[in-house]
Amino acid sequence: MSQEDKIVNVEVYLVSLDQETPYLGPLINEEKASEMGYFVREVNRTVYAIKNKSLVVRVLTENGVEGWGETYGLIAHEATAAIIRDLFKGFIIGRNPMNVVTIYEDLYDLMRVRGYTGGFYHDALAAVDIALWDILGKIVKQPISRLLGGIRNSSIPGYISGLPDADIDKRCQLAVSWQKKGFNSFKFALPMATEGLVEEFKQLRKALGNEASIGCDMHWSKTPGETIELIQEAQPYRPWFFEAPIKTEDVNGLKWIAQKSNGKIAVGEEWRTVFDAKARIDIQACQIVQPEMAHTGITQFMRIAGYAQAHNLTVIPHATIGSGIFLAASLQASASLQNCVAHEFQHSIFPEFMHYTTGDMKCEAGHYQLPTGNGIGVNPTEEMKSNMTLL
């Protein structure tokens, strides 16, 4: 295919990922859904959707190459879709898709004066960036991981994320069931830990044994002082890491926790760019970095991971609700990293929707298998396309 190809269309779709049980687990106590289908978790005061959704972007070139990207569509998806449809599209059409990073930087700069360096704006940019990298890989007939420096690992350790059940006994049983399938790394969500963080560690350690790795996602719900106290109390149960302990804007509080406690602090899922990472890494406020491909796109994912490596930090990418497209992109990028030691596995999401994408991407016996196709390695199946609504 000619490298003089040009982009001729950009489309954005809403994809339903509806499940019987909401993300993280059933509603508890006073939690209830609004008219728009949103509800707030009591522990972290954060909004979630009763029915999961995702935004998928299709970029088409004159020579018929199509690239696929994806970002979050859980909350107010029209905001993200409008940025892609009403703003980005007009500045992408006619561009050479080989100029991936150049296009990314031009789109990023469009709203610099207005300060839109994150949130919905960068989510929209992340989806477009993934799609453009996908096109680049397809044009040169290579997987993205090779274009990012080479494949270091075609198999990446996956950890079981979230144990969406209403009581601690069932959560322990769920963890054990995955341990029997070959997984030995786990993370529970504090909003669903009905008996508290320390008791959750205690019971999971008892159920899973001494060799299992057990982390906790604290969902930005504690103060620095509370976090240090909880980390100390959890030490007998050998915690793996403590994720997102306090409000993300409290950078100095995060530094205090990282330096005053003996727990490993993991952060980064809400970051969009390397500038978010720099603000925390420069002051030694974390030990583990967790870039989320649906927020960063490939370009910033690699910049964040590179900055973490330069500071001798490990990377454990975050991955939440999606159809499999941004997960494939995340695995491609992760496979090229020297400092990636594990990758989140949403066991309640990916297996249920893995038929939405083509290719051989899978997570079995404790490891992800890197998709082997060109670009990001996956494309939407006909079943997924039938469940996509053009916005």
Side-chain angles (χ1 to χ4, degrees):
M1 294 182 184
S2 171
Q3 293 188 2
E4 295 306 313
D5 203 358
K6 65 180 181 180
I7 298 166
V8 295
N9 198 17
V10 179
E11 299 168 340
V12 58
Y13 297 87
L14 183 68
V15 179
S16 172
L17 301 171
D18 191 19
Q19 298 172 282
E20 288 186 9
T21 303
Y23 178 61
L24 295 181
L27 276 62
I28 57 177
N29 300 329
E30 300 300 316
E31 295 173 352
K32 61 181 181 179
S34 70
E35 182 180 350
M36 296 301 294
Y38 302 140
F39 68 97
V40 177
R41 290 290 185 192
E42 289 181 353
V43 170
N44 62 0
R45 301 173 62 190
T46 298
V47 65
Y48 295 87
I50 289 289
K51 296 183 177 181
N52 294 332
K53 303 176 289 293
S54 183
L55 280 183
V56 168
V57 170
R58 174 179 178 261
V59 178
L60 182 67
T61 77
E62 190 174 46
N63 290 336
V65 185
E66 61 179 14
W68 294 94
E70 182 180 28
T71 189
Y72 277 57
L74 295 176
I75 307 298
H77 63 266
E78 281 287 358
T80 309
I83 294 168
I84 298 169
R85 182 187 60 234
D86 300 347
L87 178 59
F88 289 167
K89 183 176 180 179
F91 291 97
I92 296 173
I93 289 178
R95 299 289 296 267
N96 186 330
M98 300 288 285
N99 297 326
V100 179
V101 175
T102 301
I103 294 173
Y104 167 84
E105 291 175 343
D106 288 348
L107 295 177
Y108 181 83
D109 282 346
L110 289 180
M111 298 288 273
R112 178 183 294 277
V113 173
R114 298 176 180 90
Y116 297 167
T117 58
F120 292 130
Y121 190 80
H122 205 279
D123 286 357
L125 186 46
V128 170
D129 187 62
I130 294 168
L132 292 175
W133 277 100
D134 190 32
I135 288 174
L136 175 59
K138 288 172 178 174
I139 289 176
V140 301
K141 296 182 171 58
Q142 292 291 330
I144 294 304
S145 49
R146 292 201 185 279
L147 303 182
L148 296 174
I151 302 174
R152 288 189 173 276
N153 299 291
S154 58
S155 176
I156 302 170
Y159 72 85
I160 298 296
S161 178
L163 299 169
D165 231 317
D167 67 67
I168 195 167
D169 290 337
K170 290 180 179 178
R171 290 192 292 274
C172 287
Q173 292 170 16
L174 181 58
V176 169
S177 72
W178 281 101
Q179 190 177 52
K180 290 178 180 178
K181 296 176 184 178
F183 292 83
N184 210 31
S185 298
F186 305 83
K187 181 179 77 180
F188 67 87
L190 186 56
M192 296 304 296
T194 50
E195 305 300 319
L197 179 147
V198 176
E199 186 66 18
E200 197 84 5
F201 267 118
K202 178 180 178 180
Q203 295 303 323
L204 284 171
R205 177 60 66 199
K206 181 178 179 181
L208 295 169
N210 290 330
E211 299 305 314
S213 296
I214 306 172
C216 173
D217 188 345
M218 298 177 71
H219 282 258
W220 311 278
S221 63
K222 299 299 180 180
T223 67
E226 289 170 340
T227 299
I228 289 178
E229 184 177 349
L230 286 169
I231 289 175
Q232 183 62 34
E233 291 176 359
Q235 287 309 301
Y237 311 111
R238 300 174 52 241
W240 181 16
F241 61 73
F242 297 85
E243 178 178 327
I246 63 175
K247 293 177 179 178
T248 186
E249 59 267 34
D250 188 1
V251 179
N252 287 327
L254 192 68
K255 172 185 176 180
W256 190 63
I257 294 168
Q259 296 183 357
K260 297 297 182 181
S261 75
N262 55 352
K264 289 184 178 180
I265 304 304
V267 286
E269 73 169 272
E270 74 276 24
W271 300 351
R272 266 67 176 185
T273 71
V274 70
F275 304 110
D276 295 318
K278 186 177 187 300
R280 281 82 176 172
I281 293 174
D282 283 0
I283 61 172
Q284 300 179 330
C286 60
Q287 290 86 23
I288 297 170
V289 173
Q290 301 172 297
E292 165 66 84
M293 180 60 70
H295 290 322
T296 65
I298 293 172
T299 298
Q300 284 293 342
F301 184 103
M302 295 303 294
R303 292 179 182 180
I304 291 170
Y307 201 76
Q309 180 175 327
H311 291 78
N312 299 309
L313 301 181
T314 56
V315 170
I316 302 179
H318 194 273
T320 320
I321 299 166
S323 68
I325 291 174
F326 78 69
L327 174 61
S330 186
L331 293 177
Q332 290 285 349
S334 299
S336 71
L337 300 179
Q338 208 171 21
N339 54 335
C340 178
V341 298
H343 194 291
E344 185 166 20
F345 172 46
Q346 289 288 350
H347 62 92
S348 63
I349 304 291
F350 177 48
E352 186 164 343
F353 296 102
M354 60 185 302
H355 58 282
Y356 270 17
T357 54
T358 63
D360 54 358
M361 178 174 63
K362 61 183 178 181
C363 192
E364 295 178 348
H367 285 78
Y368 276 106
Q369 176 177 299
L370 182 69
T372 55
N374 295 329
I376 62 172
V378 303
N379 291 290
T381 61
E382 291 304 315
E383 182 175 355
M384 177 174 165
K385 289 179 180 179
S386 69
N387 197 24
M388 291 166 47
T389 303
L390 181 65
L391 297 175

